[in-house]
Amino acid sequence: MVERNMVRKFWISRPDRRKSRPAGSVSGLRRRPIESLRTVAGQVFLLQVAIVALLVVATVFALVLQSRSDVRHEARNLSLSVAETFAKSPGIVEAMNSSDPSAELQPAAEAARRATDVDFIVVTNEDAIRYTHPLPDRIGREFVGTIEPVLEDGEVVVEWITGTIGPLVQAIVPITDDSGSVIGTVTAGITVEHVSGAADRELPVVLGAGGAALLASVVGTGLISRRLRRQTHGLDPAEMTRMYEHHDAVLHAVREGVIIVGGDRRLVLANDEACRLLGLPTTGMEGRPVVDLGLSPRLTELLCSGSPATDEVHLSGDRLLAINQRPTDQGDGPPGTVATLRDTTELEELTGRADAARARLRLVYEAGLRIGSTLDVVRTSEELADFAVPQFADFATVDLLERVLSGDDLRYAGTSTYPMRRIAVSGVQDDAPLYPLGSVIDFVPATPQAAGFHSGRGVLEADLTTFSGWQEQDPPRARRMVQYGLHSMISVPLQARGDVLGVVTFWRSRRPQPFDAEDVSLAEELVARAALAVDNAWRYTREHTTAITLQRSLLPSVLPEQQALDVAHRYLPAHAGMGGVGGDWFDVIRLSGARVAMVVGDVVGHGLHAAATMGRLRTAVHNFAALDLSPDELLWHLDELVTRIDQEEADDDARAITGATCLYLIYDPVSRRCTMARAGHPGPAVVRPDGSVEFPELPGGPPLGLGGLPFDTVEWELPEGSRLVLFTDGLVENRERDIDTGLDLLRSTLAAGPAAPEETCDAVLEALLPERPRDDIALLVARTRILDETKVADWDVPSDPSAVSAMREAVSERLAAWDLDSLGFTTELILSELITNAIRYTTGPIRLRLVRDRSLICEVADSSSTSPHLRHAAITDEGGRGLFLVASVADRWGTRYTTGGKVIWAEQPLPRR
């Protein structure tokens, strides 16, 4: 079958054959109708149809003849049995001897005729005169038929005659008396048509069965012919003859060897090329077992296995043969295999070189994928060393300049030594006598490392046992390395963008072949790929270090001293390579009246720009807080500032802020009230003294920079010991966890955590901090305190100048009670000026309050929104010196506005005890 397919493939592929066959035909051959007598299939079909038709016709004819014979036999038996039965029936003799035999016998004869389904029963006397007949007018007439042998000899006569009712069979039987004398006859007859009616009714069935058999045979023959046509591809006998005439020419002319092995593992066919390649005789080999052909064991095993093979290389003598083998029993083919053989001896050397080149290209490609996955200098160096072993070398070391690790500038000024630190070591074993990880090495000029560092090219030391100078770095260690088995080395400088960052050294010990010039080129390619990643990581490290330094300098290093809140804070920049320094920030600001402001914010983005923007916003918040603005007013001013900065930077083609959020909170320890507002920032968590945790409903204002949108404030009263937890979104949200899950985890951590703010910070970070954070995290935890009522005194002041002296006396008494007599004079001076101004320039209620905190705070509240201004009065001026005196004796003073007016305040430091 395979042999035919090969020859057929050759024959069909000839140009003159392709031109004569349209596209779309099977294997390029034109489709022919089955009935075409030119094709083998058509001739076979016609012959088989003719034979089947002849058999069917003969069968039907035989069935008809048999049916006719059966009809005659059945008619004879029926007529004879009826006649004999009637002749011997009881009373027949008496009826014959009666005076009127016809009257006696006619009814009985008709009844018997109808019962036996014969056409007539006729009884005659010894003179052949009829006593009975189906037609009464025939009674009394002479019987027509061969009756003499019956009357004379008593024989039974059965005869075929043609009567008035057509062809019929009649049986004549004698009637005898007791003495045996014939006294008459009984004749029973039946027409052929009457008997053959049943057979005729069966004839259509016989003919239908014959037609069905003919149809089935035609269909079966057609299917067989169709399959034969597919197998012969519609070729006519002449074409098939011509195809097989070319069989040997095609099979033995191809430049590939062809071997066909049967299912019994015997050689079916081997063309001339196969015999030449395998060293076999060209004749007398067919039918021999494959194991007796004298082939190599591996090749014999392959040919006998019957398993598919693709381009398997086998040695046959001094030739390398590429063998492809496929089974022949696919598609109802005969069992066995066909194998093709190609001589690849001359291509083996070129193929080996091409494979080596492909392996090097694949190695360089994989290096680009696996080296430099992070912006970390150390990790990138480790990836280079791990990748090189064992694919390229048995050991690999990476040594980087100390300046690279610290992120310093790589430019040198008159330096002749280049200390390096070993930051990556990889090998097939751990006991090699190389410098260990973390060693600081200053390579001497005679070493390949130093030579390559200066030249910028890889240096090959093919034979370390010659000690050509590389051992001068450490002679004792060099001897141990050679004894260990290290025999070849390549040193390649790690350089990128004109800067040398370090040295990479590759060693071989287990592999017997030393490094060569092609290996040097490959090593330089690998190191060049890694050098770009290391350089990027170094530059990122330098920028990251700069950004962290800038951000640390912009964030508060020490929180201000105050007694309203017990505060702990944490700031964690994003992991290097995962996002870097961002714009998260926090602050705690002292306000007037013993109040404290807390703020957290987040500037979108990472790097120096985000850090610098954060510093600008923090400074702005400090300035706005100094004006004693309410949280919503402060955020409104901050929003205008961010909008203005964005517009200015957009005009200068610089990077805009592109978004910032902020949460601002003020806590008053006297009233225990907390007022806050937010601009697109997550709200705080409040932990009650009983341990319950809630996230208060705080209107979510828009992020800073949208401009013109209002901010709402919310105010609560907090019991002493409550904790306020302020944070940025990096704490509760990341790629693996949405914000709702993070808030639930924060709630459970705060509910079960310790009450101390420092311990609370540690517990929260331990529970929520990811292993490698991608965003900054700012956390501020404050536990509230209250100012004791005994440290606060307030009075309602009448709007009368004479009330000033009474207020001075009351204040002096309270200062004496607080043991602050030393502040009496300055306090009276401050209050006299502030109360006098309130009485003179305002109407409505006036209130005075003294607060003893870390300083003595004097506050005068009135209903006017007009703020006093400090003036420097001239010598001739009679007024304008009051606030100047207040500013001179007070540590700080200022004005804050309330919903009902304003409060002018002044602070004095408490005397040291």
Side-chain angles (χ1 to χ4, degrees), residues 797-878:
V797 180
S799 185
D800 185 355
S802 62
V804 176
S805 60
M807 290 297 100
R808 285 200 300 264
E809 292 178 2
V811 169
S812 297
E813 292 177 0
R814 179 53 59 98
L815 292 178
W818 288 345
D819 197 15
L820 297 176
D821 295 309
S822 59
L823 298 178
F825 176 73
T826 56
T827 303
E828 290 177 5
L829 179 61
I830 293 171
L831 292 179
S832 296
E833 178 60 28
L834 297 181
I835 294 174
T836 300
N837 285 340
I839 293 173
R840 179 179 299 176
Y841 299 110
T842 64
T843 60
I846 300 172
R847 191 168 184 82
L848 169 65
R849 187 173 76 163
L850 289 181
V851 178
R852 180 182 178 179
D853 191 26
R854 298 183 66 86
S855 61
L856 180 62
I857 304 170
C858 303
E859 297 179 347
V860 175
D862 58 51
S863 59
S864 173
S865 59
T866 303
S867 175
H869 298 283
L870 179 66
R871 294 193 308 168
H872 296 277
I875 298 177
T876 58
D877 290 342
E878 296 182 358

Side-chain angles (χ1 to χ4, degrees), residues 74-127:
E74 181 180 357
R76 179 181 182 283
N77 292 340
L78 180 60
S79 59
L80 181 62
S81 62
V82 170
E84 289 180 345
T85 302
F86 193 83
K88 296 179 180 180
S89 60
I92 188 67
V93 175
E94 289 78 2
M96 290 291 291
N97 296 324
S98 66
S99 60
D100 190 359
S102 293
E104 296 288 338
L105 296 175
Q106 178 68 12
E110 286 301 305
R113 179 181 67 82
R114 288 191 295 270
T116 57
D117 202 22
V118 295
D119 287 310
F120 60 87
I121 298 177
V122 175
V123 180
T124 66
N125 58 14
E126 63 272 15
D127 297 325

